[in-house]
Amino acid sequence: MATNLVQIENDAEIKARLEAERARLRKIAGLDQPTHFHRPIERAFTADQRAHTTILFGGFTWKHEDLIRAVFQGCGYKCEKLPVPDVAGFQIGKEYGNNGQCNPTYFTVGNLVQYLQFLEKEGLSRDQILNNYVFFTAGSCGPCRFGMYEAEYRFALKNAGFDGFRVLLFKDSDGIKAASGEPGLKFTIDFGFGMLNALHLGDVINDLVYQIRPYEVNKGETDRVFHEMVDGLCKDLRDRKSFEIERDGPEWLKPKVKKNKILRNTFNVFGKWHEHMWGKDYLNALRNAREEMNSIEVDRTRVKPTVKITGEFWAQTTEGDGNFHMFEFLEREGAQVLVEPIATWVAYLMYQARAHAKAKWPVNKPYKNPEWHEFKKHFANYIGLRKKLWGIGAGRKMWNFFYHRTADKMGGITHHLAPQQELADLAAPFYNQLARGGEGHLEVGKNIYYTVHKLAHMVLALKPFGCMPSTQSDGAQSAVINKFKDMIFLPIETSGEGEVNAHSRVQMALGEAKVKAKGEFEQCLKATGKSMAEIREYIDEHPELKRPFYHVPHREGVAGTAAQFILHVSDRINKDTRFQKKSRVPVQTPATVSGD
Ligand code: SF4
């Protein structure tokens, strides 16, 4: 019988036919061209454009952003912060962005497009927007979608009609430098130390707002005072005079530094560092800020569950639609929110750099298998790694030192940064610390850390939809919850929709946390052997106890602010015989005054 089937003789022929067919289909699909991605060449932001170019940025809390803007302005730049991303921005992000992105990408990308559209509505032409504005943002090489943010910004801007709008990365000097070598944004000593102060102050102030506001006696006072206080700090950061040895140095030194550039630069570096960290103006500004905050009257006997916020970097920081206004909601529901400082994230990056340097050293070391008698090579292998670790270690120490110093100068009640090594150790049985992306092992580590140290009644993880690292840690968290039975942990997936649903889930978990906080308070009150009337009478007689910066020593094992406070007041009453004699409320003998 005749057949149309072609006889194939051997494997080589099959392979050749497959190759030919693959090539044909790739050609039809337009995939026969080289497909390697090349980053588009960005128009440079040059020094001569500085006077008429506004730098846009965003993504932090209003406290961080006001302070960062002041540093930009103090260094001679025009700068504006973007509004807090909202649902309208999210929808614009979805309209103009790629499919399948994570939630923060849509919010932040849409927010930028929305702001440019607003400028257009205000009467600016597209050319004016393209030429007179640049957007600065952080960049990364991944592995999560953070590595694609820059490309996403460009894609959505192009789709929205703003093709050519400049998106510049802080880490990327190519986009910032002009062809002439004179960059539009110069990373000077003043800029660097100013930003360091702005970030640390932003973190500390953010922590303080959430510690003080739930206990304020006069509603609205905290917000008013903090806005005024941040304005004062911004004024200092913006208007401060930059140290110049030729102007501010002693007379005898001026002619010497004028002639010698190296000497001049060295004095300027140390002089500026001193001015930024220990300068009279800066310390005065911090003292004024502290006094303003300390004028707020607080009542720390209110029993509130402490809710620690963890999750993805952006979702746990933003104060708007991006996380369903979660902090505001929690406070409305009677909780005290424990926010996460950005400084933890930076400390985590440094911890990761150290861990990865150690893990990769067997591959990266200069001599792979030296003989036992090749001492020089062994020494080179040893010292090469040490040098790396010492450098990172010095950076970590300085970062922690300056953060905690800022916290001390601003009243001394800000929470300390959680130790990175302990977070990694706690997370280790559940999450490999070398798995990078997003918050990595941090979310698991923090959940356990705040639970076992009894620093919070409940941990709430805010995780954007479509977030790859959050999905990974969600899997690990179920094992964590099984091991720590008294843990109240709730992961909430944040998106542009579903606010009511998310709030109702939080309400349910918060109900349990409230019971936990109330039980702890009652146990502590019982242990003091005193009544609330007696404790209140003592507080009324000692107005310093109504000031936010009155220092209440921390007791191990007690998470609630009110419980900690009454234990401390009870200790004071026990020592105060004068009060005991004249008290109108009969003083009872304490059972045990303990934090357990
Ligand atoms: S951590 Fe998650 S939400 Fe954040 S950029 Fe990466 S993938 Fe997106």
Side-chain angles (χ1 to χ4, degrees):
M1 192 172 72
T3 171
N4 288 333
L5 284 179
V6 181
Q7 292 293 319
I8 296 176
E9 301 295 336
N10 54 37
D11 282 358
E13 200 178 335
I14 295 175
K15 272 190 195 152
R17 282 169 180 255
L18 270 173
E19 277 308 315
E21 184 58 12
R22 186 173 289 133
R24 189 183 72 83
L25 292 172
R26 285 180 70 85
K27 191 165 184 201
I28 293 170
L31 295 172
D32 55 340
Q33 302 300 319
T35 51
H36 190 76
F37 173 77
H38 290 282
R39 183 171 178 246
I41 295 164
E42 190 74 84
R43 272 190 309 136
F45 171 34
T46 57
D48 58 318
Q49 298 167 0
R50 238 178 252 153
H52 63 79
T53 304
T54 302
I55 294 171
L56 301 175
F57 75 102
F60 304 103
T61 72
W62 68 264
K63 296 129 254 181
H64 292 90
E65 288 172 354
D66 280 9
L67 294 159
I68 290 171
R69 180 177 57 184
V71 174
F72 269 116
Q73 290 170 339
C75 291
Y77 301 100
K78 284 174 85 176
C79 177
E80 263 320 315
K81 54 181 199 165
L82 292 176
V84 180
D86 57 10
V87 170
F90 165 82
Q91 276 153 357
I92 291 175
K94 287 205 106 172
E95 184 180 346
Y96 295 116
N98 263 313
N99 286 334
Q101 295 301 306
C102 58
N103 187 28
T105 320
Y106 288 134
F107 268 104
T108 52
V109 169
N111 195 38
L112 175 62
V113 173
Q114 191 184 31
Y115 186 73
L116 301 189
Q117 289 175 337
F118 159 78
L119 291 177
E120 214 173 10
K121 277 193 204 126
E122 290 289 290
L124 265 67
S125 69
R126 290 217 166 172
D127 275 350
Q128 281 172 319
I129 295 171
L130 297 188
N131 292 329
N132 298 342
Y133 288 84
V134 294
F135 178 63
F136 270 94
T137 184
S140 158
C141 60
C144 75
R145 290 194 187 83
F146 192 31
M148 292 304 296
Y149 269 35
E150 184 201 358
E152 267 307 304
Y153 277 117
R154 289 183 210 287
F155 182 72
L157 285 164
K158 189 175 173 189
N159 290 345
F162 294 100
D163 195 10
F165 185 84
R166 285 167 291 176
V167 176
L168 306 177
L169 300 187
F170 279 110
K171 69 163 186 143
D172 185 7
S173 56
D174 293 350
I176 297 163
K177 276 186 186 153
S180 65
E182 175 70 20
L185 178 66
K186 267 187 170 171
F187 291 104
T188 60
I189 301 280
D190 281 321
F191 185 75
F193 283 121
M195 281 298 169
L196 180 74
N197 280 337
L199 276 177
H200 284 170
L201 280 171
D203 276 349
V204 167
I205 293 168
N206 200 33
D207 183 295
L208 290 173
V209 174
Y210 287 101
Q211 272 199 68
I212 297 173
R213 190 167 46 209
Y215 301 97
E216 68 183 5
V217 171
N218 305 309
K219 197 162 166 32
E221 193 180 8
T222 310
D223 285 340
R224 181 184 57 75
V225 168
F226 270 74
H227 272 102
E228 286 169 12
M229 182 271 291
V230 170
D231 285 350
L233 285 173
C234 287
K235 192 170 174 331
D236 176 74
L237 292 176
R238 191 173 46 239
D239 301 344
R240 75 163 42 162
K241 224 168 47 189
S242 170
F243 177 88
E244 293 299 336
I245 189 70
E246 283 180 276
R247 188 192 56 222
D248 303 318
E251 288 306 322
W252 59 267
L253 191 61
K254 288 181 184 172
K256 290 191 177 65
V257 292
K258 197 166 190 164
K259 276 189 251 145
N260 188 328
K261 195 176 168 198
I262 297 176
L263 199 63
R264 186 168 67 236
N265 287 348
T266 311
F267 272 108
N268 270 341
V269 168
F270 285 104
K272 284 172 192 292
W273 185 15
H274 179 272
E275 261 322 284
H276 279 277
M277 296 299 166
W278 295 275
K280 212 165 63 179
D281 288 351
Y282 181 58
L283 294 184
N284 280 343
L286 294 190
R287 201 192 50 236
N288 292 341
R290 191 172 62 230
E291 280 168 12
E292 279 180 65
M293 289 185 279
N294 208 26
S295 67
I296 300 168
E297 188 179 340
V298 291
D299 172 9
R300 273 182 277 210
T301 60
R302 295 176 187 166
V303 184
K304 289 173 180 289
T306 310
V307 179
K308 172 65 194 167
I309 302 294
T310 65
E312 190 265 352
F313 177 83
W314 183 79
Q316 69 182 352
T317 306
T318 189
E319 295 175 304
D321 290 345
N323 62 12
F324 304 132
H325 297 265
M326 194 54 82
F327 309 145
E328 203 184 316
F329 172 75
L330 284 165
E331 283 193 357
R332 244 188 358 254
E333 288 293 311
Q336 179 189 340
V337 180
L338 223 167
V339 284
E340 189 60 65
I342 292 167
T344 308
W345 168 252
V346 178
Y348 163 73
L349 293 182
M350 287 193 259
Y351 176 83
Q352 282 283 311
R354 193 167 190 277
H356 280 265
K358 272 162 98 178
K360 287 182 192 162
W361 193 242
V363 179
N364 289 343
K365 64 185 177 187
Y367 301 102
K368 294 294 171 298
N369 294 307
E371 296 293 334
W372 68 268
H373 51 82
E374 293 180 300
F375 300 119
K376 267 191 179 171
K377 290 183 181 175
H378 281 293
F379 183 70
N381 279 348
Y382 169 80
I383 207 71
L385 177 61
R386 292 293 126 197
K387 273 196 325 210
K388 266 188 177 208
L389 300 185
W390 286 332
I392 300 168
R396 283 170 67 190
K397 283 213 162 73
M398 280 174 71
W399 181 258
N400 283 339
F401 170 77
F402 285 119
Y403 180 82
H404 292 122
R405 176 180 174 272
T406 308
D408 288 345
K409 296 263 174 236
M410 292 288 277
I413 62 165
T414 310
H415 298 95
H416 278 212
L417 296 178
Q420 289 294 328
Q421 186 60 54
E422 190 177 348
L423 292 177
D425 291 344
L426 290 170
F430 308 95
Y431 203 106
N432 191 319
Q433 60 164 327
L434 296 178
R436 288 168 58 232
E439 294 271 309
H441 66 266
L442 268 193
E443 199 190 302
V444 171
K446 283 188 217 164
N447 190 11
I448 303 173
Y449 178 83
Y450 283 90
T451 304
V452 296
H453 290 298
K454 293 203 166 40
L455 296 170
H457 297 108
M458 165 181 161
V459 178
L460 176 65
L462 298 170
K463 305 142 92 74
F465 83 78
C467 171
M468 180 266 285
S470 289
T471 312
Q472 276 174 206
S473 73
D474 261 355
Q477 294 285 17
S478 54
V480 175
I481 297 165
N482 270 335
K483 177 147 187 219
F484 299 91
K485 298 287 181 202
D486 62 339
M487 178 179 270
I488 305 180
F489 170 72
L490 180 69
I492 286 286
E493 189 178 75
T494 59
S495 67
E497 298 106 18
E499 180 163 329
V500 176
N501 178 32
H503 283 179
S504 107
R505 288 187 57 215
V506 173
Q507 245 166 355
M508 277 194 279
L510 198 59
E512 276 182 63
K514 281 181 182 171
V515 172
K516 202 169 168 184
K518 199 162 169 249
E520 176 191 70
F521 180 83
E522 279 163 4
Q523 198 189 341
C524 288
L525 183 63
K526 196 167 159 219
T528 66
K530 297 178 181 64
S531 67
M532 272 316 288
E534 187 187 343
I535 284 174
R536 287 224 169 84
E537 188 189 341
Y538 189 83
I539 295 168
D540 285 340
E541 284 201 5
H542 298 83
E544 75 275 12
L545 291 167
K546 295 181 182 178
R547 296 293 144 213
F549 292 150
Y550 175 82
H551 183 65
V552 178
H554 179 75
R555 291 192 196 226
E556 286 297 319
V558 182
T561 301
Q564 293 265 3
F565 186 60
I566 57 155
L567 287 172
H568 174 66
V569 174
S570 167
D571 283 353
R572 278 191 54 167
I573 296 174
N574 291 342
K575 289 185 200 142
D576 192 339
T577 44
R578 193 186 57 82
F579 174 78
Q580 288 179 19
K581 274 186 210 142
K582 72 183 202 49
S583 173
R584 276 171 279 123
V585 184
V587 178
Q588 297 158 28
T589 323
T592 47
V593 181
S594 133
D596 299 329

